[in-house]
Amino acid sequence: MKNLLLIALSFFIFCACQNKVRYESFTPGELWLDNNGMHINAHGGGILYIDGLYYWFGEHKTEGEAGNVANVGVHCYSSSDLYNWTDEGIALSVDPEGSGSDIEKGCILERPKVIYNKQTGKYVMWFHLEPKGKGYKGALSGVAVSDQATGPYRYLKAVRPNKGFYPSNVQEIHKGVSKAEGQSFSGASLPEHVDSLNILGRDFAGGQMARDMNLFVDDDQTAYHIYSSEENSTLHIAKLTPDYLDYSGEYGRFFPNRFMEAPAMFKKEGKYYLMMSGCTGWSPNEARSAVASDIMGEWKELGNPCIGPDADKTFYSQSTYLLPVQGQSGRLIYMGDRWTPENAIDGRYIWLPVKFEGERFVIEWESEWRL
């Protein structure tokens, strides 16, 4: 009789394990489990849509890990409905400790984004990279490539953007002597006005700084890299080469002295929109938004797109991507991270519907919602 009870109990446990969670709605801030019953591990991520599937790429965090140290690499998940995600494994792995590689275990690898190049048939990944043990002074852009959406991705290089090129909207002061030569700064402010410091001129020969970043592919398949530059004080938008593997030398600088991070871009009815955060480290802050008729400006600020309770903290999240929903014209999803720096793996995802009010887009809290 005891054996029969044990067999019955074992069968019950087996059946319960097979009964995987099936989602039919979004519940922002709650645990979000993949097909294996594990919390999705794709922080600071972005989405690529190819042939009926969405691919979600993000930073893989480890238990007890504080901050942004990369111990594993970039994780990939796939979904056909945006609610339920299948673990596709590690798309880009960091190299072993002691290898001396740019992406050695212990480096900082942030905000990975993947785009598909129709001309070459390659999947191209860009990310913000800081070599191991060097803090945030590197401000490099890492590039990797794959023949498959899920990888594995082959690391190619890490560079500073647009070495030896001035932006299209360069000012004469940028071609003069830099007061920032030999200096580095921290925090969300500088001791003088950005243009008088001339950080752009300081970094002209070696390439511009690039930290928080995103990618955007326009209707004509031209790709752009959007990143925080000049000690985080100014946003740059840079055109990539046709193969998406390098900078073309064409770029512009926008929102000088505004200290904007976490850029995310989308296009609607011929206009370009940006969402960004302020620079307050891991602490949430009030989001910003902007619109332009041309990706290279002029950009017009529209204020905080979030409305309602906790809008001044972006619902305790930070933007990482603005996702167009396939088959639903004009429908977008705000993707944000609710960071937990003391245990980064427990970071939660804040996905909310994007609505439009005249010229501006707005985001309002919903504890549960459906497409």
Side-chain angles (χ1 to χ4, degrees), residues 205-356:
Q208 301 300 319
M209 303 177 77
R211 288 178 177 152
D212 276 15
M213 57 136 283
N214 220 312
L215 297 174
F216 175 77
V217 179
D218 210 341
D219 301 331
D220 63 359
Q221 298 304 302
T222 302
Y224 296 87
H225 187 213
I226 307 141
Y227 52 91
S228 299
S229 192
E230 301 178 42
E231 303 286 355
N232 282 6
S233 68
T234 304
L235 197 75
H236 287 191
I237 300 176
K239 182 180 177 180
L240 300 180
T241 52
D243 60 8
Y244 300 172
L245 299 179
D246 211 340
Y247 295 99
S248 67
E250 297 178 44
Y251 72 106
R253 60 189 299 270
F254 307 99
F255 316 108
N257 214 31
R258 289 286 284 125
F259 291 91
M260 296 188 180
E261 299 187 307
M265 180 182 285
F266 68 92
K267 187 177 184 181
K268 182 177 185 289
E269 297 175 356
K271 290 189 176 182
Y272 301 85
Y273 293 86
L274 271 170
M275 182 173 179
M276 301 139 292
S277 78
C279 295
T280 54
W282 296 108
S283 301
N285 57 60
E286 186 174 295
R288 294 97 176 270
S289 63
V291 65
S293 296
D294 189 301
I295 197 168
M296 288 300 180
E298 296 287 326
W299 284 90
K300 173 187 173 183
E301 287 201 53
L302 300 174
N304 183 4
C306 300
I307 57 176
D310 298 324
D312 61 336
K313 295 291 187 291
T314 316
F315 315 114
Y316 293 92
S317 70
Q318 186 182 38
S319 50
T320 186
Y321 202 73
L322 287 163
L323 170 64
V325 179
Q326 297 299 315
Q328 297 190 28
S329 179
R331 191 76 185 269
L332 291 121
I333 297 174
Y334 162 76
M335 293 173 54
D337 290 282
R338 184 171 285 176
W339 302 111
T340 54
E342 66 283 352
N343 188 24
I345 195 173
D346 191 38
R348 305 296 174 91
Y349 307 106
I350 307 300
W351 286 28
L352 292 167
V354 177
K355 302 171 185 177
F356 293 87

Side-chain angles (χ1 to χ4, degrees), residues 48 114-125 144-149 153-154 243-245:
L48 172 70
V114 174
I115 50 178
Y116 177 67
N117 191 300
K118 292 183 177 180
Q119 181 178 323
T120 64
K122 302 289 186 183
Y123 296 86
V124 182
M125 178 187 294
V145 67
S146 175
D147 294 325
Q148 306 293 329
Y153 285 76
R154 177 171 56 91
D243 60 8
Y244 300 172
L245 299 179

